[in-house]
């Protein structure tokens, strides 16, 4: 086990995790850099239930940081096949080039995406908490996937179903609804295939 | 249910709602906008608008672009979206004129953050409207006025006041002269992209001033202009030029192209096709010293390319990705040289290169394994062997054009179907294929565009195979596939739900039953049904009720279709923009109903409507002259319609085509 970081949730529970896991949060990373003596970082705004979910995500992503938002690939030195023995620069261009030709990396990223999609198939209340946590801790990939999870809840549903999911009231009058339908039928929505 | 006091609808919508404060404890408006950004399907977007006020507002603040189809909703929509809107497309908004445009801009006065506006084909907009646009939108960067044939120097002067303009399309603005171009060049010195295709009044003088004033130009389209070598000299001073289109510049020859040598690597793409007075040496000088060139289109200039040209391609070996040699005689050895020199080639155009052989293709693909697009239209000598070579080597193939390659058989497609799993588009018009070919093609599950026109042997069985796996199909062309019956259409309607464009012309076995199946294609926009002699108004009515997004419909020679069909269209297909009802059995009532009711109708073909008396033509056209842009009529009507009506049509920018057609049915 490499160097670890101690995190304290808002309700006082302690989580000890590896640096590679914790440092996916840009906030935790910068706090750890500052506080050299005390390796215990308090996170008052995240409670233990959410923090454990967040760390579950980060653990899974430890080997492929920012795979959704920055690199769209696994850096070649972390490739499961090549085991860190790949020569050459680790710039993002060569990473994506590497992933394009390396079957093992491609499969690993695909598996990760599948896992992520399952991870965010939860009720919207939890997604909302994950979004707040991802925002507060500045974890780009978690933010990306949580937004995706919320968007997924919307796709394919009619307005009433969406209201149920988000726990909302229909505050339109019948006249307003009619006007919206009328006006908006003369819009061509640009559809990106 | 939260109760909402009645009142002015607009004020109601803008007041802070109790729902908004609920929403902000769950999802902030910004976050919600972020989430809605990922929701791209128009049906989902429509659902979102009706959820609650909070969702509607999130959509309003996040929506960056808008395309409006009708004039009367324009002010309301713009008022709602003005704060965030960056791109506005009014090219499909019928009857848009200066007054309406200015009024619509006033709706969002002071708030406009518009960067890009498209007024392509909006023939009613002139300098007043453009002046209002420039005035209202300080951040304006891009304007598209292409095909507004009345636009001229006065309009250019209005645009010249938009100092921040970066992108301007004035293609086919026939009124534009050197004077107008000069005003734009001086006023918009930061211009980066300019299109003045077909602006025939422009001369070398205009281009010279343009090149002097707009040194930041990156993209320039001067196709079909009557400019000479002098202009090319002027253009060569543009140090940042990346894309140059000069199709059909007949007054330019090799001497002019010499000026394009050694442009210091800024040039990325050049199109010098159809320049009749250019020879091999001119084309070769374009390559010299422009080693960053990625796209080269030299088609249709002259028959024979010298071998020096091909060996010079070696200069571009790292960068060239697109090469179009349409119309040239290209030998197998030339293709081999291309293959050896340009290994990174992604797109190759050999359309109408009639001497291309299987051997040539073999040599080409042996080295160019990254090819994604191969155009072999009218390469008559090619056989299945060429397809096998392609399948073996080009695994990334996405688009393959084989129109009129009559020696191709089903066997050739076996390799393609198995090996090219990324295939998205394939054109097999006029190839001798049967349903067995469909068995192989159906393995390409990513297929989006499939053209099988004139493939007489394709039967329902083929369509069933296709529908079983090609779920992403958007465009299907079955022109004259006469063996197709209603059953084949049933399979397509069940399996290929995303179809937007469907051509069933002269598939004479199709009846109303088949159209009932087609009506289940909810995304259908473009439907061609020429010559379907068994189809009646009942079938058309079903289409009208089912395909609500229908925009283009061709019913030429569907002689059983009468007023009933038109009534249904008038009632349901509100988005219909283009219709051909030539030779249909409609009467004056039907015509008036259609032309009078459909607000978006712009392009109408009305040849040989023998049951419609002249008076009814007059009434129908008077009811619709404001929105029509294109009209096709029998020449005999020219003297029978009132001159006032014809003048009114012309004044609104409507182009009338008078044709002389015999009544006899085509076989």
């Amino acid at each position: 086990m490499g160097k670890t970081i101690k995190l304290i949730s808002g309700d006082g529970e302690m989580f000890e995790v590896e640096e590679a896991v914790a440092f996916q949060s840009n906030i935790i990373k910068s706090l750890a850099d500052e506080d050299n003596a005390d390796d215990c970082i308090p996170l008052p705004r995240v409670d233990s239930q959410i923090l454990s979910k967040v760390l579950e995500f980060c653990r899974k992503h430890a080997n492929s940081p920012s795979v959704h938002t920055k690199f769209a690939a696994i850096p070649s030195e972390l490739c499961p096949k090549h085991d860190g023995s790949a020569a050459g620069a680790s710039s993002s261009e060569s990473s994506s080039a590497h992933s394009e030709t390396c079957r093992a990396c491609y499969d690993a990223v695909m598996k990760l995406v599948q896992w992520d999609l399952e991870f965010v198939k939860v009720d919207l209340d939890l997604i909302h908490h994950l979004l707040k946590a991802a925002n507060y801790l500045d974890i780009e990939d978690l933010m990306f996937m949580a937004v995706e999870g919320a968007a997924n809840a919307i796709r394919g549903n009619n307005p009433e179903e969406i209201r149920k999911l988000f726990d909302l009231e229909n505050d339109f009058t019948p006249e307003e609804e009619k006007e919206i339908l009328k006006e908006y039928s003369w819009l061509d929505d640009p559809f990106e295939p | 249910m939260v109760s909402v006091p009645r009142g002015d609808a607009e004020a109601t919508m803008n007041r802070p709602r109790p729902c908004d404060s609920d929403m902000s404890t769950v999802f902030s408006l910004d976050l919600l906008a972020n989430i809605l950004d990922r929701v791209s399907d128009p049906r989902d977007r429509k659902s979102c608008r009706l959820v609650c006020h909070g969702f509607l507002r999130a959509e309003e603040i996040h929506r960056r672009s808008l395309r409006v189809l009708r004039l009367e909703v324009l002010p309301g929509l713009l008022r709602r979206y003005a704060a965030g809107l960056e791109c506005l497309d009014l090219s499909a908004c019928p009857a848009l004129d200066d007054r309406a445009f200015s009024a619509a801009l006033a709706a969002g006065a002071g708030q406009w953050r518009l960067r890009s506006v498209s007024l392509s084909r909006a023939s009613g907009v002139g300098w007043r409207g453009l002046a209002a646009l420039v005035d209202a939108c300080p951040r304006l960067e891009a304007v598209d006025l292409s095909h507004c044939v009345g636009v001229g120097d006065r309009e250019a002067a209005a645009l010249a006041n938009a100092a921040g303009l970066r992108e301007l399309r004035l293609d086919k603005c026939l009124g534009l002269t050197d004077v107008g171009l000069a005003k734009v060049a001086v006023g918009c010195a930061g211009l980066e992209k300019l299109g003045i295709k077909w602006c025939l009044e422009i001369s070398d003088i205009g281009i010279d001033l343009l090149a002097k004033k707009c040194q930041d130009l990156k993209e320039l389209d001067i196709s079909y202009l009557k400019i000479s070598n002098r202009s090319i000299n002027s253009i060569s001073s543009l140090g940042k030029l990346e894309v140059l289109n000069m199709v059909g510049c007949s007054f330019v020859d090799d001497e002019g192209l010499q000026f394009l040598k050694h442009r210091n690597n800024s040039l990325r793409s050049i199109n010098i096709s159809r320049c009749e007075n250019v020879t091999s040496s001119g084309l070769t000088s374009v390559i010299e010293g422009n080693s960053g060139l990625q796209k080269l289109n030299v088609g249709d200039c002259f028959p024979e390319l010298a071998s020096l040209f091909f060996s010079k391609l070696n200069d571009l070996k790292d960068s060239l990705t697109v090469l179009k040699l349409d119309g040239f005689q290209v030998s197998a050895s030339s293709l081999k040289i291309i293959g050896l020199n340009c290994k990174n080639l992604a797109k190759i155009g050999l359309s109408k290169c009639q001497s291309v052989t299987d051997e040539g293709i073999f040599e080409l693909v042996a080295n160019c394994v990254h090819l994604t697009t191969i155009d072999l239209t009218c390469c008559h000598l090619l056989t299945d062997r060429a397809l096998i070579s392609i399948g073996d080597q080009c695994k990334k193939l996405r688009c393959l054009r084989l129109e009129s390659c009559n020696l191709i058989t089903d066997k050739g497609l076996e390799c393609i179907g198995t090996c090219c799993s990324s295939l998205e588009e394939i054109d097999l018009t006029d190839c001798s294929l049967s349903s067995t070919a469909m068995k192989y093609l159906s393995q390409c599950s990513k297929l989006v565009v499939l053209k099988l026109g004139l493939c007489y042997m394709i039967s329902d069985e083929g369509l069933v195979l296709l529908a079983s796996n090609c779920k992403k199909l958007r465009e299907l062309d079955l022109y004259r596939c006469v063996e197709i019956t209603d059953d084949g259409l049933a399979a397509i309607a069940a399996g290929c739900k995303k179809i937007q464009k469907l051509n069933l012309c002269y598939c004479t076995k199709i009846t109303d039953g088949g159209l009932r199946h087609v009506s289940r294609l909810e995304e259908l926009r473009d439907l061609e049904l020429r010559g379907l002699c068994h189809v009646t108004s009942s079938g058309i009515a079903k289409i009208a009720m089912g395909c609500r997004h229908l925009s283009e419909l061709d019913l030429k020679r569907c002689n059983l279709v009468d007023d009933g069909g038109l009534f249904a269209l008038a009632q349901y297909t509100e988005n219909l923009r283009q219709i051909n009802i030539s030779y249909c059995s409609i009467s004056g009532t039907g015509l008036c109903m259609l032309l009078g009711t459909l607000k978006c109708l712009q392009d109408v073909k009305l040849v040989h409507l023998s049951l419609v008396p002249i008076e009814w033509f007059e009434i129908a056209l008077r009811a619709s002259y404001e929105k029509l842009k294109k009209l096709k009529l029998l020449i005999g009507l020219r003297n029978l319609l009132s001159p006032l009506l014809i003048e009114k049509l012309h004044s609104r920018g409507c182009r009338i085509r008078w044709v002389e057609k015999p009544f006899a049915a085509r076989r």
Side-chain angles (χ1 to χ4, degrees), chain B residues 438 442 459-469 487-488 490-492:
Chain B
M438 296 302 106
S442 64
S459 66
D460 291 340
E461 196 195 319
L463 294 187
V464 168
L465 287 163
L466 200 62
S468 64
N469 202 26
D487 293 334
I492 294 291

Side-chain angles (χ1 to χ4, degrees), chain A:
Chain A
M1 211 167 158
K3 185 147 185 268
T4 62
I5 295 281
K6 294 194 182 73
L7 305 168
I8 314 241
S9 72
D11 47 355
E13 202 174 315
M14 190 191 68
F15 294 81
E16 183 163 359
V17 288
E18 293 181 9
E19 271 189 0
V21 173
F23 281 5
Q24 287 180 56
S25 156
N26 292 329
I27 297 294
I28 294 180
K29 190 165 178 197
S30 56
L31 284 174
D33 279 341
E34 289 169 25
D35 265 1
N36 278 323
D38 184 5
D39 61 354
C40 214
I41 298 180
L43 302 170
R45 283 163 70 174
V46 190
D47 73 20
S48 52
Q49 187 204 13
I50 302 301
L51 188 55
S52 72
K53 265 297 209 182
V54 169
L55 291 174
E56 187 188 338
F57 183 90
C58 293
R59 229 168 263 128
K60 193 76 185 178
H61 278 248
N63 273 341
S64 40
S66 300
V67 70
H68 296 305
T69 45
K70 273 216 189 73
F71 299 116
I74 300 179
S76 47
E77 60 266 25
L78 296 175
C79 170
K81 193 158 113 183
H82 297 120
D83 232 58
S85 58
S90 61
S91 67
S92 57
E93 295 91 73
S94 65
S95 293
S96 22
H98 169 84
S99 249
E100 234 169 77
T101 49
C102 176
R103 189 77 215 189
C105 280
Y106 180 80
D107 286 343
V109 173
M110 283 299 113
K111 269 220 191 82
L112 193 61
V113 170
Q114 294 289 46
W115 187 91
D116 285 344
L117 288 172
E118 278 305 315
F119 184 78
V120 293
K121 263 202 189 124
V122 290
D123 66 76
L124 276 165
D125 202 41
L126 181 53
I127 296 226
H128 179 241
H129 286 295
L130 286 174
L131 278 167
K132 288 219 296 227
N135 195 24
Y136 170 58
L137 294 170
D138 194 9
I139 306 175
E140 289 167 339
D141 269 4
L142 180 59
M143 189 67 172
F144 185 92
M145 280 321 299
V147 169
E148 185 65 26
N152 229 12
I154 293 176
R155 291 186 193 120
N157 285 324
N158 65 36
E160 185 51 48
E161 285 163 354
I162 298 176
R163 276 181 221 126
K164 243 188 254 157
L165 282 168
F166 282 79
D167 196 21
L168 295 166
E169 296 279 352
N170 179 1
D171 58 357
F172 287 126
T173 66
E175 291 83 19
E176 285 172 341
E177 272 189 9
K178 236 170 72 179
E179 186 173 338
I180 292 173
L181 278 169
K182 190 180 83 151
E183 263 188 10
Y184 288 91
S185 56
W186 300 116
L187 266 187
D188 217 48
D189 253 312
F191 188 129
E192 270 98 323

Side-chain angles (χ1 to χ4, degrees), chain B residues 549-561:
Chain B
H549 291 287
L550 202 60
S551 164
E552 291 175 35
L553 181 61
D554 193 338
L555 294 171
K556 182 173 170 181
R557 291 189 192 277
C558 292
N559 19 40
L560 293 182
V561 172

Side-chain angles (χ1 to χ4, degrees), chain B residues 44-61:
Chain B
D44 293 331
R45 283 248 176 94
K46 280 192 175 94
S47 302
C48 285
R49 286 181 206 122
L50 289 167
V51 169
C52 69
H53 279 107
F55 263 64
L56 187 62
R57 264 254 248 106
E59 216 242 351
E60 278 171 23
I61 67 171

Side-chain angles (χ1 to χ4, degrees), chain B residues 219-253:
Chain B
E219 286 183 26
L220 184 60
D221 191 341
I222 46 171
S223 301
Y224 302 103
L225 296 188
K226 293 179 183 163
I227 50 168
S228 75
N229 294 336
R230 262 189 59 193
S231 286
I232 311 299
N233 190 5
S234 311
I235 290 170
S236 66
S237 72
L238 293 169
K240 300 188 188 174
L241 195 64
E242 290 175 17
V243 177
L244 178 61
N245 285 333
M246 34 181 293
V247 180
C249 289
S250 334
F251 296 94
V252 170
D253 60 28

Side-chain angles (χ1 to χ4, degrees), chain B residues 82-102:
Chain B
L85 210 57
E86 290 179 354
C87 303
L88 182 60
D89 184 343
L90 296 173
S91 58
C93 197
L96 184 69
D97 61 10
D98 280 344
R99 210 166 37 91
F101 189 37
S102 310

